Amino acid sequence: MSLTLHYAPDNASLIVRLALEHMGQDYRTCLVDRAARAQEGAAYRALNPHGLIPTLETPDGPIFETAAILLWLDERSPGTLGPEPGAPGRGHHLKWLVFLANTLHPALRMSFYPDKYCPGHEAALRAHMQAETRRHFGAVETAAKGPFFGGDAPSAIDFYLGPLIRWAALYPRARPGDLDLGAFPRLAGLCRALEALAPVQRVLAAEGMTPSAFTAPELPVPPEGSAT
């Protein structure tokens, strides 16, 4: 397959890039320069009319929405990103993957950008959504088996969770450290297991992150582009 990942460092595209590297899938990257607001330009919106990152160009055309990209990749290489269709555990895998995409990730985004959702009440919304994200992480903690979410093998859920955990601990810059991994031992173990994977380390290095980007996150120093 010919695949192009339109990405920005340490953005939601990181989730897809981790999955692609884990699969051993050939792909190329194309920077979406957030500093220049390239995601709002006509060229990028021709691929993704919503102006959000990531977009994956595929033989089926451009695909946007992180969970949709992960599921599309999963269909073309069954078993590499989770239980195969029809296999035991497939339903459990799907419900938690969609929970991350539809519930936890949006809650985290609202805590980062409360001004976009409730102007004039930013502090109240941020505090509420930070409490919600901690509650959601608690639910994931309870469901996780270890060392990865589903057991011994990494899946799309792990590649989604690692960045979400990183961002919850690191951003917004004005109030870092909101998520304390000490309260979530299974998620902390999941982060350590991710960092032990060679494909994960390749992605972290490529986007200017430290080897402990999930367990002890620091702001990235990407070789190209900007995380914000």
Side-chain angles (χ1 to χ4, degrees), residues 140-165:
V140 178
E141 167 83 8
T142 300
K145 294 181 179 179
F148 296 103
F149 179 83
D152 293 334
S155 72
I157 290 176
D158 301 286
F159 301 130
Y160 211 136
L161 266 174
L164 292 182
I165 292 167

Side-chain angles (χ1 to χ4, degrees), residues 1-3 20 24-28:
M1 290 187 293
S2 175
L3 301 177
L20 288 166
Q25 175 65 58
D26 289 334
Y27 68 99
R28 74 180 189 93

